[in-house]
Amino acid sequence: MNFLKTNSTIGTYRVGDRIDSRRYDFREVYQVADDQNPDGTNYALIVYDVEAWRKKVGVDDGCVTELETYGHLRGDAFPKSMGNGELTLDDGKLLAWNCLQMITGERLDTLIRDEKTFTCEAIIRIGIQLTKAAREISFFQNGGGHYNLHPENVFLSSDDEENYTVQVCGLTHVGKPYNGRPCFDSQELELTYCAPESVWGIYSEISDIYAIGRIMKKLAEVSDLSESSSANSGLWQVIHRACCKRRSERYPSLVMMRKDLGKWAEAIKSSTDEAEKGSPSSSSRRRDDTLRFDGVIDKRKGKGFSAIAGCEELKDNLRCNFVSIFQHQELARKMGIQPPNSILLFGPPGNGKSFFAERLAEELDIKFTMVTPSSLASSFLHGTQQIMADLFQKLEKEAPVLIAFDEFDAIAPNRATDYIHHQSGEVNELLTQLNNAADRGIYVLMMTNYPERVDPAILRKGRVDNIIYMGLPDDITRKQIFELELSTRMHEKNLDYDELSRLTKNFSSSDITYIVKEAARRNFNYCVKEMVTRPIPFDLIKEVISQTVPSVTPEQLRHYEKVRQQMLQQTPPRQRIGF
C-alpha cells in the first residue's frame, strides 16, 4: 500500500504516479506537480516513513539522512531541492519528504546495455564530474560517501558525443564514515561496485573512489579502449589506482583523483588542438613547444624551518646532513663531505611533506620548483621523457636549485608492474638525470605516500642518499599545530593545548588544521545568528574533534609501519620464547 494517494496534496504538490523501484518499505518516490506553478513542470517527491526508517537504521531520532543531504547539495550533479517538510497521516504515521527537480538524461546502465561506446576523453570527463559530486557528499558527511555509486544511479545527458553532463541520484545509503557497522543493510548495495573493505563494514570517501574507478573501467571495457595504447594510458593509470583492492593503495582523496583526471583531460585537449591546427611543420613546432617544462623556478622568501610546527627530529636530521653541508661547502669539500644527491620523504598523506619542501628551500636560501605528475604529463608517446630532459637542462642553468617531486610514485613507478610498461622510457630518463645530480647543483627531494610503488633502481645509494619517514605528528607537534593555527584567530584564553593534543592522537596535520578551521566556521555562524562577537570556545573545538574521523585509518597506519620497517631496513624486536 502506498503512503500517498493519487491526486492527494502534500504541501503545494499534487501527487501523481509512484515512480520508484519499490525496493524499500520505508521509502517511496512519486511524480508530482506544483499547484502554484501552472507551467506543467513535474518534480520527484521522495517520501520516507520516518519511524520505519529509524527502526531500519537503528536510531531513535534525527533527520532522514538522504533528505537532509539533498537539502545541502548545491552542485550541478544533483537535482535541486525545491522544498521539504513533514506530514502526519490520519493513522499517526509521520512522513518526511523532499521535492526535487526531475533528473534528465539516460541511465548509464541503459547506455551500457545498449553497448554505447565512449571516447577516452568522454570517460575522463565523466570521472571528473563523478569525483566532484562524491566530494561534495563527502564534505557534508565529514569524510563519508554515497556508498552505492553504480551505473543505475548515474544519468548522462549530452548535446554531442563528448560533453556529457552527469547527474547522481540514489542517496538512500549516503552517510558518514563507518568502521564495523553501517546504518544500512550492505546486501542492498550493488556489490559489483562496492569496495572490498565493505565486507568488514568499512566505508568512507575512499569507498566511492573504488566505485568511480569501477564505473570508468566498465565504460572503457564497453568502448574497447585498449590498455596498451599510449592514447589511453592516462585513463588506465587512474582506473588501476582507483580500483586497488587495498584502501591504502588507492587515491588518498577524491580531490587527488580529480586532479589526476584533470591532468589527463588537459593532455588530451592539447593533443587534439594540435591535430586540428595547420600544416605538419607548424604542428611539429607546437609539439616541440608542448614538450617543455613550463613550471616556475624561483627563490622564495620565508621563515624556513621556524615556520614548521614540531618535527624537531626531522629538522635536526636535515640541518645536520644537508643544510649545514650546503651552507659550508668549502669546508665540507676539504673534509670530503658532499650534500646528499637525493632525499626520499615518505609517509601518510596530510602531514605536510609539500609544505616541508618549500620551507627547506627557504632554509637553504636557493631557487626552488615543485614538480607534480601533471606538470610532466604529455599526450605524446614518451613525451614525458622529453619534458624530463628539458626540466633538468633548465635546473642546471638555474643551479643551485632544490627540486621537489610530489607524488613521486606516479612519476617513477615500478617498471615491473604490468600496467606501466609504457613508462619505462620516462623512468630510464629520470635514472640518468639523477646520477650525480648534486654535482651539477641540483638537489632532489622526492615525496610520496607509497614508497613501495617507486622503481627500486631509483632507491639505490648514489641516487637516493637519505630515506626519511614523516609519520603522524607526535604529542608536542600536535600541540604546536593547534597553537599555530589558533594564533591568527580569536579564541578563548588559557586553552588546554595538552588536552587538545591528547584528544587528537593519530590525527594528521591536515586533520588538525581542518578542526580549527571548522571550529572557527561554526563559531562565525553562531555569531552571525546571535548577533554577537565571541572567541572560539574551547568546548566547540572539542566538539569538532569528537565529530571528526582521522583521515588515516588504523589499517593504513599498520601498512605504513610495515613499509617503514622495510624502507629503513628495521625489524621489530623478537618476542622472547621460554623463561
Side-chain angles (χ1 to χ4, degrees):
M1 181 177 176
N2 295 344
F3 299 154
L4 304 175
K5 296 179 180 179
T6 303
N7 288 325
S8 63
T9 59
I10 181 167
T12 63
Y13 300 101
R14 184 162 301 278
V15 178
D17 295 333
R18 183 175 172 183
I19 56 175
D20 65 295
S21 61
R22 302 176 184 266
R23 186 177 300 171
Y24 309 106
D25 56 5
F26 55 81
R27 177 186 184 271
E28 297 178 355
V29 183
Y30 297 86
Q31 179 175 298
V32 298
D34 189 349
D35 283 345
Q36 295 183 354
N37 188 354
D39 65 0
T41 301
N42 289 320
Y43 302 94
L45 187 77
I46 303 178
V47 184
Y48 269 76
D49 179 339
V50 177
E51 188 61 33
W53 173 79
R54 288 174 178 171
K55 184 177 181 181
K56 177 75 173 181
V57 301
V59 298
D60 296 327
D61 54 16
C63 300
V64 176
T65 310
E66 178 183 11
L67 304 185
E68 182 185 26
T69 303
Y70 271 126
H72 285 80
L73 299 178
R74 298 292 182 266
D76 295 336
F78 303 102
K80 180 181 178 182
S81 175
M82 307 303 296
N84 60 79
E86 292 184 344
L87 172 69
T88 302
L89 300 181
D90 294 339
D91 60 2
K93 181 181 293 184
L94 176 63
L95 302 180
W97 58 271
N98 197 326
C99 184
L100 308 173
Q101 287 182 334
M102 293 289 280
I103 291 179
T104 58
E106 294 186 75
R107 286 187 188 272
L108 189 55
D109 65 329
T110 301
L111 296 175
I112 291 173
R113 283 197 302 269
D114 293 343
E115 298 184 348
K116 167 72 176 176
T117 60
F118 300 84
T119 65
C120 178
E121 183 178 11
I123 296 174
I124 287 176
R125 288 179 176 177
I126 291 169
I128 289 173
Q129 293 181 68
L130 285 174
T131 54
K132 185 177 180 181
R135 175 56 188 159
E136 187 173 354
I137 293 173
S138 176
F139 182 81
F140 175 66
Q141 292 295 341
N142 293 319
H146 184 289
Y147 301 146
N148 199 25
L149 269 174
H150 61 92
E152 189 177 335
N153 289 331
V154 177
F155 285 75
L156 297 185
S157 56
S158 173
D159 295 330
D160 54 48
E161 293 298 312
E162 293 293 340
N163 297 308
Y164 289 98
T165 299
V166 173
Q167 285 199 296
V168 176
C169 64
L171 305 189
T172 314
H173 304 91
V174 70
K176 62 183 181 180
Y178 300 108
N179 194 344
R181 187 187 179 280
C183 288
F184 51 77
D185 183 357
S186 61
Q187 296 302 313
E188 295 172 350
L189 306 179
E190 181 57 54
L191 300 181
T192 303
Y193 295 86
C194 283
E197 64 270 12
S198 64
V199 175
W200 295 280
I202 299 174
Y203 296 86
S204 69
E205 78 168 60
I206 311 299
S207 308
D208 282 352
I209 288 175
Y210 181 90
I212 294 170
R214 292 284 299 184
I215 291 172
M216 294 174 64
K217 183 179 181 181
K218 184 67 175 179
L219 296 181
E221 290 172 345
V222 169
S223 304
D224 198 24
L225 298 182
S226 172
E227 292 189 49
S228 60
S229 169
S230 61
N232 305 327
S233 62
L235 171 63
W236 280 105
Q237 283 184 47
V238 173
I239 289 173
H240 283 299
R241 185 170 180 183
C243 293
C244 284
K245 291 184 178 180
R246 291 186 178 182
R247 290 196 325 173
S248 60
E249 295 179 359
R250 284 178 225 146
Y251 287 100
S253 69
L254 286 157
V255 172
M256 294 304 299
M257 183 177 179
R258 187 165 79 246
K259 178 181 175 183
D260 230 7
L261 286 166
K263 170 190 73 175
W264 292 111
E266 188 62 32
I268 293 174
K269 183 178 183 299
S270 298
S271 177
T272 303
D273 289 346
E274 289 174 5
E276 291 175 351
K277 292 178 182 177
S279 64
S281 58
S282 62
S283 176
S284 177
R285 285 194 298 272
R286 283 191 298 273
R287 173 172 175 167
D288 290 340
D289 292 338
T290 303
L291 300 180
R292 296 183 184 278
F293 177 73
D294 58 1
V296 177
I297 304 174
D298 61 3
K299 185 179 288 189
R300 305 186 182 190
K301 295 296 182 181
K303 298 180 179 180
F305 283 172
S306 62
I308 301 173
C311 301
E312 296 304 327
E313 184 177 346
L314 176 57
K315 289 187 282 190
D316 288 344
N317 182 325
L318 289 175
R319 282 195 187 102
C320 178
N321 297 314
F322 188 5
V323 178
S324 62
I325 298 174
F326 177 82
Q327 293 175 342
H328 303 89
Q329 292 189 52
E330 186 174 345
L331 176 61
R333 275 195 297 270
K334 290 179 180 179
M335 304 185 70
I337 299 174
Q338 293 180 325
N341 191 66
S342 301
I343 297 171
L344 178 70
L345 198 61
F346 75 96
N351 289 300
K353 290 186 284 294
S354 300
F355 180 79
F356 196 95
E358 295 175 358
R359 304 294 83 76
L360 175 59
E362 294 170 1
E363 191 79 9
L364 293 167
D365 192 28
I366 61 175
K367 292 182 178 179
F368 172 79
T369 187
M370 178 77 74
V371 177
T372 63
S374 60
S375 62
L376 297 175
S378 172
S379 57
F380 298 108
L381 183 62
H382 299 310
T384 296
Q385 189 173 341
Q386 296 182 46
I387 297 175
M388 188 88 68
D390 180 68
L391 165 63
F392 276 86
Q393 286 178 10
K394 291 180 177 177
L395 292 174
E396 198 162 349
K397 292 178 182 178
E398 299 285 346
V401 60
L402 174 69
I403 175 174
F405 286 102
D406 198 13
E407 298 182 69
F408 189 66
D409 54 289
I411 294 173
N414 191 336
R415 288 168 293 177
T417 306
D418 291 340
Y419 61 83
I420 60 93
H421 62 276
H422 55 275
Q423 289 185 260
S424 296
E426 286 82 342
V427 177
N428 289 336
E429 179 67 33
L430 183 57
L431 288 171
T432 301
Q433 296 291 353
L434 288 178
N435 285 332
N436 304 314
D439 294 342
R440 294 176 281 155
I442 302 171
Y443 305 101
V444 181
L445 181 65
M446 309 160 179
M447 300 173 293
T448 178
N449 301 327
Y450 307 102
E452 69 277 15
R453 297 181 186 173
V454 176
D455 194 274
I458 297 277
L459 302 179
R460 73 162 176 80
K461 295 298 181 183
R463 291 198 178 104
V464 175
D465 294 331
N466 203 354
I467 298 178
I468 302 173
Y469 177 68
M470 191 170 182
L472 296 178
D474 57 21
D475 295 347
I476 296 175
T477 302
R478 294 197 300 275
K479 178 180 175 181
Q480 292 181 2
I481 295 173
F482 273 113
E483 291 173 344
L484 185 65
E485 290 292 335
L486 288 164
S487 64
T488 58
R489 297 176 171 90
M490 185 171 59
H491 60 274
E492 284 186 352
K493 303 298 182 184
N494 303 318
L495 293 182
D496 189 343
Y497 289 104
D498 289 323
E499 183 176 358
L500 293 179
S501 176
R502 179 182 60 79
L503 292 173
T504 51
K505 183 179 180 181
N506 290 335
F507 280 65
S508 69
S509 302
S510 59
D511 291 337
I512 297 173
T513 299
Y514 162 79
I515 288 168
V516 175
K517 288 181 178 179
E518 177 64 13
R521 185 188 65 80
R522 294 186 187 183
N523 187 57
F524 170 78
N525 289 337
Y526 173 86
C527 292
V528 171
K529 181 179 179 181
E530 301 296 329
M531 300 296 291
V532 298
T533 300
R534 71 169 186 179
I536 302 174
F538 181 54
D539 288 341
L540 180 58
I541 300 174
K542 292 198 295 183
E543 177 185 310
V544 176
I545 292 173
S546 69
Q547 296 172 356
T548 303
V549 178
S551 57
V552 182
T553 66
E555 178 192 36
Q556 289 174 315
L557 282 178
R558 289 191 294 270
H559 170 75
Y560 279 111
E561 176 58 26
K562 182 179 178 181
V563 172
R564 184 184 69 82
Q565 292 172 4
Q566 294 172 345
M567 296 298 297
L568 304 182
Q569 297 182 342
Q570 296 178 354
T571 55
R574 290 188 179 183
Q575 225 174 2
R576 294 189 177 185
I577 300 175
F579 299 97

